[in-house]
Amino acid sequence: MYKYSDFDEAFVRQRNAQFRQQVERRVSGALTEEEFRPLRLMNGLYLQLHAYMLRVAIPYGTLSSAQMRQLALIAERWDKGYGHFTTRQNIQFNWPKLTDVPDMLDALGDVGMHAIQTSGNTIRNVTADHFAGAAADEIEDPRPTAELIRQWSTDHPEFQFLPRKFKIGVTGSPNDRAVTRSHDIGLRIVRGSGGRTGYEVLVGGGLGRTPMVAQVIRPFLKKADLLPYLEAIVSTYNLMGRRDNKYKARIKITVFENGMEKFRDAVDARFEQVKREFTGVDPAILAKIEHSFAPPAFRSAPGGGYETARKADPVFRAWTETNLVEHRAPGHAIVTVSLKAHGATPGDASAAQMRLLADLADKYSHGELRISHEQNVVLPHVHKSDLWALHAALKTQGLATANIGLVSDIIACPGMDYCALATARSIPIAQGIATHFKAIGLEEEIGALKIKISGCINACGHHHVGHIGILGLDRAGVENYQITLGGDHTENLTLGERAGPGFAYDEVVPAIERLLRAYLALRDDKAETFLEAYRRLGAEPFKAALYPAEAARDAA
Amino acid sequence: MSRAFTPKVVTANALIEGDVVYLTADDRWTRDHAEAELIEDEAHAQLRLLRADRQRDIVVGAYLADARQGAGGPEPVHFREAFRTRGPSNYPHGKQEAGHV
């Protein structure tokens, strides 16, 4: 894993010392809130509905066991004993006191972490495939690229006041688990002619108020050209992007309004200029970073009773069927630890859970953990002979739920339980769906399904790309939920279609049940997933299930 | 005829803790919505908001929120303001934990 250089360390320490003084000046009254607000946002500190919230960057979703342990300590010492893992692979602490935040930032600095650029109109924390460096289908580990971008974009003097926030996602696998097509810039590591790897560069994706699928701006970019090309895109956007209207300020609107051809020409012209200013130091740095992401020494050992345990224990077997993914190294598995126990808050982990995960990472996964954008924790490198013991240990802290990819593995933003921007709650909707489908025993029968819930139009909960998306709105002073169908978050990114009028808060779970019972009745066989059935049959039969009164009237 | 004025309370977040506070008639900041001053006059509401805005060492982001008279004092009208009087629905944290509700 990448370790902070002396430069990184000194920079973070200096920023923390500055922020400590800024907090002191705010408390003394020397700074007004108007003056202080941009300073706190630059350091990831928001003021939410009930309290401050500190958003900590987890670059490309990778954590060491020591870092996870420190997050547990922070949660316990300065928060209410838990943290919330987000859809951008960050962690949010929901209850810090303003005067404690400098100490929290110092504690993060002790383990090479910070909250810089987790807010504001800058290049945000770079996200990546949560199975990076472990997945069997991977062309190349995307994290060295993401780390290079982190170093280039952190405190980049030209890009601190962009028209709007800017998000970059990287995948090294053709099976896109990083939702690159929903990013301002998406990078896909691809193999070019002659077998050399480079990047397919996508631009102009985004969810939110105006969802758009990113388009290819450059089918193949040489690795050595990455930073000058990114610099060209972002500086072109910095000038061409709109600043007159916040809702039209993202690069997706810049590309849409100008057209890809014009935008590409402007980027290419800028690239020619910028390229000369890059002296080639960046490929050298990339090579050094790549070295620090060298895979651990995977052990070559027999399965050690794994198959026997699967046969003997149906609970363990069910967990292995849902929570494991094929690893590149023989005899190993990628383990996804569900933070979606039925009825729990999606993405929340207690300090005790974080400590256990850190210990288990040390014991079974070469000290590494990942946070997925689907708000689960990944132990990327587990030998199959350790899975039985790992599963038993996970059970002790309620972390052995066998539901990855099922109806209860729901993405949900914090919604109006925490967020000042939210228009409705998300968390209790997710809890309601998860507990209901467990109670009626249909979860396994329904199979693969992605439900994604956002508590406002900004779409932190990725509702547009859920097979079933739920968007919470305020309709005349009452919570109301719109349902979208047919979204897809993968390399075939598809935006779901709105099914019809919204549902009241307590109508959502029954509506989802009608929808999924219709799917069970309509599918060809158990192998046909909800999304496949939707694509085969179209929206109509599903709309009829959601709105039975309208369907009956139309039929009359 | 002008539209009838919906009664208001002045609300904000405490500077240090960040939790929700309300301005009382005797110029204190309370954590309890029922103790807030229910303002029934638009001009008075603006004056009270100005007064809150000047207390920048104590509170952040003061604004006027719709409210109505209830049995035990002013009550919120909108669900967002109702949540702000309690805390989140997934844990007993926030005001509900402190026993203000």
Side-chain angles (χ1 to χ4, degrees), chain B residues 1-39:
Chain B
M1 267 194 38
S2 61
R3 284 221 325 262
F5 177 70
T6 308
K8 302 277 191 285
V9 296
V10 177
T11 181
N13 290 80
L15 172 65
I16 306 293
E17 297 84 5
D19 57 347
V20 177
V21 291
Y22 307 94
L23 188 62
T24 64
D26 58 352
D27 278 341
R28 288 176 299 114
W29 289 100
T30 176
R31 263 69 176 166
D32 183 355
H33 193 286
E35 278 190 358
E37 175 187 13
L38 188 70
I39 307 166

Side-chain angles (χ1 to χ4, degrees), chain A residues 36 63 112 126 184 208 238 264 286 319 342 354-355 389 485 515:
Chain A
F36 179 65
L63 280 175
V126 181
D184 295 286
N238 204 10
R264 182 189 283 122
L286 180 61
W319 179 79
H342 300 89
M354 290 187 223
R355 282 208 182 90
L485 299 172
L515 185 64

Side-chain angles (χ1 to χ4, degrees), chain A residues 136-465:
Chain A
D137 58 13
E138 185 171 88
I139 295 169
E140 201 173 275
D141 189 338
R143 292 174 302 161
T145 296
E147 172 58 27
L148 183 70
I149 297 170
R150 185 192 72 82
Q151 296 188 12
W152 159 79
S153 63
T154 300
D155 213 32
H156 191 303
E158 197 179 322
F159 302 146
Q160 293 304 301
F161 295 95
L162 293 169
R164 199 74 181 86
K165 59 186 166 184
F166 203 93
K167 300 173 182 177
I168 302 176
V170 194
T171 176
S173 163
N175 300 308
D176 184 0
R177 291 172 287 261
V179 210
T180 57
R181 282 187 181 273
S182 79
H183 284 75
D184 295 286
I185 294 178
L187 294 171
R188 301 178 59 215
I189 296 176
V190 290
R191 218 175 275 290
S193 54
R196 287 171 71 93
T197 54
Y199 306 102
E200 181 185 57
V201 185
L202 304 144
V203 72
L207 300 175
R209 173 177 304 259
T210 319
M212 289 191 186
V213 178
Q215 303 301 317
V216 175
I217 185 167
R218 187 127 179 162
F220 189 83
L221 180 72
K222 284 193 295 189
K223 281 180 100 171
D225 285 338
L226 178 68
L227 289 190
Y229 193 72
L230 291 181
E231 181 121 347
I233 294 177
V234 183
S235 62
T236 300
Y237 159 65
N238 204 10
L239 288 177
M240 207 187 265
R242 287 178 59 173
R243 290 170 190 267
D244 62 317
N245 181 342
K246 184 181 170 183
Y247 303 122
K248 296 189 185 295
R250 294 288 289 267
I251 194 173
K252 60 190 172 187
I253 306 292
T254 315
V255 173
F256 178 76
E257 287 187 346
N258 290 282
M260 179 56 96
E261 204 174 325
K262 184 176 166 193
F263 187 77
R264 182 189 283 122
D265 288 348
V267 168
D268 285 346
R270 180 81 184 132
F271 180 49
E272 288 309 312
Q273 288 176 322
V274 166
K275 209 158 57 165
R276 282 180 250 128
E277 292 162 19
F278 279 76
T279 54
V281 67
D282 42 311
I285 292 173
L286 180 61
K288 211 169 151 191
I289 296 170
E290 276 170 351
H291 187 70
S292 65
F293 283 99
F298 296 119
R299 78 178 191 266
S300 171
Y306 168 64
E307 290 301 337
T308 320
R310 284 193 75 213
K311 284 195 188 92
D313 180 350
V315 175
F316 176 61
R317 184 167 64 243
W319 179 79
T320 63
E321 276 164 10
T322 47
N323 295 39
L324 302 186
V325 167
E326 196 187 346
H327 197 284
R328 69 201 309 171
H332 287 69
I334 303 172
V335 175
T336 301
V337 178
S338 172
L339 295 182
K340 317 284 179 68
H342 300 89
T345 302
D348 276 14
S350 69
Q353 289 177 325
M354 290 187 223
R355 282 208 182 90
L356 177 67
L357 287 164
D359 292 347
L360 295 174
D362 276 339
K363 203 165 176 185
Y364 300 121
S365 183
H366 298 268
E368 256 193 63
L369 304 113
R370 309 288 172 73
I371 306 304
S372 77
H373 80 268
E374 294 179 319
Q375 301 177 286
N376 292 308
V377 176
V378 175
L379 293 170
H381 310 299
V382 183
H383 194 270
K384 284 183 178 167
S385 63
D386 293 329
L387 286 168
W388 165 255
L390 171 68
H391 179 254
L394 288 170
K395 279 197 279 194
T396 64
Q397 284 291 344
L399 289 169
T401 311
N403 65 344
I404 297 303
L406 302 181
V407 61
S408 59
D409 183 13
I410 298 170
I411 288 187
C413 73
M416 205 185 270
D417 286 305
Y418 295 91
C419 179
L421 298 175
T423 44
R425 288 172 294 172
S426 314
I427 291 168
I429 298 286
Q431 291 172 312
I433 293 170
T435 48
H436 180 71
F437 280 92
K438 184 179 167 73
I440 61 174
L442 281 185
E443 179 153 42
E444 278 154 49
E445 183 65 24
I446 291 164
L449 182 67
K450 302 282 183 187
I451 299 183
K452 301 178 195 274
I453 309 175
S454 303
C456 82
I457 199 165
N458 293 313
C460 294
H462 296 192
H463 64 275
H464 297 109
V465 296

Side-chain angles (χ1 to χ4, degrees), chain A residues 486-541:
Chain A
D488 181 354
H489 69 294
T490 68
E491 61 281 3
N492 306 310
L493 194 85
T494 309
L495 304 171
E497 288 173 58
R498 201 181 133 193
F503 294 88
Y505 176 80
D506 50 11
E507 291 172 356
V508 177
V509 174
I512 300 296
E513 182 178 348
R514 288 198 299 280
L515 185 64
L516 290 175
R517 284 195 187 277
Y519 152 67
L520 292 176
L522 290 163
R523 70 183 178 188
D524 271 344
D525 55 40
K526 209 178 167 181
E528 188 180 46
T529 65
F530 174 84
L531 186 61
E532 287 162 354
Y534 179 84
R535 284 177 175 161
R536 176 172 62 84
L537 295 161
E540 286 317 313

Side-chain angles (χ1 to χ4, degrees), chain A residues 26 29 32-33 49-52 80 82 95 98-99 345 348 416-418 420 423 425 428 474 477 479, chain B residues 13-20 56-57 59-60 78-80 83-84 87-91 93-94 97:
Chain A
R26 176 70 186 97
T32 64
E33 184 61 20
L49 216 49
H50 312 291
Y52 288 97
K80 291 187 188 291
Y82 72 103
W95 303 96
L98 176 60
T99 42
T345 302
D348 276 14
M416 205 185 270
D417 286 305
Y418 295 91
T423 44
R425 288 172 294 172
D474 173 351
E479 287 169 295
Chain B
N13 290 80
L15 172 65
I16 306 293
E17 297 84 5
D19 57 347
V20 177
R56 55 178 57 151
D57 304 350
V59 298
V60 180
H78 192 275
F79 63 89
R80 183 178 195 270
F83 296 150
R84 288 180 81 238
S89 54
N90 60 333
Y91 301 117
H93 290 158
E97 177 181 41

